[in-house]
Amino acid sequence: MKRAHSKMQYLKRNAKYSILAFLVIVLSISISISTLAKTEVYFSLYDNPQKEIIKNINQAEAFINIAMYIFTDREIAFPLIKAQERGVKVRLYLDKEQVEYQYSQSRFLVQKGIKTRISSNNYIMHHKFAIIDNRLLLTGSYNWTFSANNRNDENLLIIDDPEMIEIFQNQFVNLWTNKYSSERTRQLYKIAKVDMLTVFPPSAQTKTKIININSASPEKLTSILQISEPLVRKIIALREELEGFKNPQDLLQLPAITNLEWKEWKEEGIIIICIEYQ
C-alpha cells in the first residue's frame, strides 16, 4: 500500500514538473518570437512619422517598393531620389488621381528616373505601405503628405515580421505586375515629358547581357544588374560562403533579391550564368 502511495506521489510530482517544463518552453518561444518580430508605432502631431520614413529610406540597401494613395511630400521624395542614385531600386505604385493631381510628386519623381506605375482600379487604390529590402514594412493610415505629418491624426507602423512582410510583398508584386494601367502610366510619363520606353523598354528592344556571377567583379555586378554596392558585397559574401554558385537561383538566398528582381532582369535581357568559380 505504501509502495502504491509512493508511486502515485512520484507520478504526480513528475506530471507537475512536466507541466512546468512545458510552460517554460512555451514562454521561451513566445519571448523569442516577440524579440524577433517588432512593431514600432508613430502618431502624427506627436512622433514625427515623416522623420522615421526618411530615416528608413536612407538606410535602404537593395529596394523600396511603395504603394501609396496620395504622395505630395517633397521631403520624402528627395530621399527616394538619393536612394536610387546609390543603386537602390525604387518602385512607386500610385492611385489614378496622382497622374494629374496638382501637388502630387508623381511627375517630379518620374522626371528623376523613379519607376512609377498607376493603378488600374477605377475607384480608389487606397494602400499606404512600403517594403524596404524585404526586412521592413511601413504601413498605417499615413499617406506621404505634408498634411499627414503636420495637420491630420494619422498612424505609421514599422514592422519587421518576416511573415507579414512576405504577405505585403506578394501583394505589391500582384499590383505592380497585374493591376497597373498602361494607358494611365503612359499619360503620367507624357505629362512629365519623359519617354516611357526609356524606363520600361519592350523586350524586343533590349540588348542581351550575359553575366557570370561566379567570376564577375563588383563593378560588373553593379553595372549589369543595376544594384547597390551593399547588395554587391552580400552577393560576393554568399559566393564565397557557397564556394561558388551552383545555380543562378542561388541568388534568391539573399532576402533582398526577390522574384520581382529576377523578372525584371529577364525583361531587361540579362542572362545570369554561374561557371568557373575559382
Side-chain angles (χ1 to χ4, degrees), residues 71-74 77 92 98 103-110:
F71 189 169
T72 63
D73 193 340
R74 184 66 62 101
L92 178 61
Q98 295 297 289
Y103 301 107
S104 176
Q105 294 300 303
S106 60
R107 298 168 300 276
F108 172 68
L109 288 167
V110 162

Side-chain angles (χ1 to χ4, degrees), residues 103-146:
Y103 301 107
S104 176
Q105 294 300 303
S106 60
R107 298 168 300 276
F108 172 68
L109 288 167
V110 162
Q111 289 167 351
K112 296 299 182 179
I114 301 295
K115 281 188 174 181
T116 305
R117 285 180 172 173
I118 303 299
S119 169
S120 60
N121 195 314
N122 290 325
Y123 297 93
I124 295 176
M125 196 295 295
H126 210 238
H127 287 303
K128 301 129 187 154
F129 71 83
I131 301 149
I132 298 178
D133 296 347
N134 238 8
R135 62 178 177 80
L136 281 182
L137 167 66
L138 283 62
T139 189
S141 71
Y142 191 98
N143 277 299
W144 289 5
T145 67
F146 174 86

Side-chain angles (χ1 to χ4, degrees), residues 218-261:
E219 294 76 21
K220 204 107 176 176
L221 289 166
T222 302
S223 62
I224 293 181
L225 298 181
Q226 293 295 294
I227 56 178
S228 66
E229 290 182 6
L231 185 52
V232 166
R233 288 195 291 270
K234 288 179 181 179
I235 290 174
I236 291 173
L238 180 61
R239 180 170 72 188
E240 292 173 355
E241 179 187 335
L242 298 176
E243 296 183 347
F245 295 108
K246 310 301 184 291
N247 188 304
Q249 297 281 334
D250 288 344
L251 285 175
L252 294 175
Q253 292 183 35
L254 294 171
I257 297 178
T258 70
N259 288 323
L260 190 51
E261 275 70 46

Side-chain angles (χ1 to χ4, degrees), residues 25 31 73 96 118 140 144 153 170 177 188 206 238 250 269-270:
I25 291 169
I31 291 171
D73 193 340
K96 65 184 188 303
I118 303 299
W144 289 5
D153 283 303
N170 289 340
T177 58
L188 169 63
T206 57
L238 180 61
D250 288 344
I270 297 170

Side-chain angles (χ1 to χ4, degrees), residues 64-78:
I64 307 170
N65 293 335
I66 307 156
M68 195 59 52
Y69 174 46
I70 304 174
F71 189 169
T72 63
D73 193 340
R74 184 66 62 101
E75 294 302 311
I76 297 178
F78 280 127

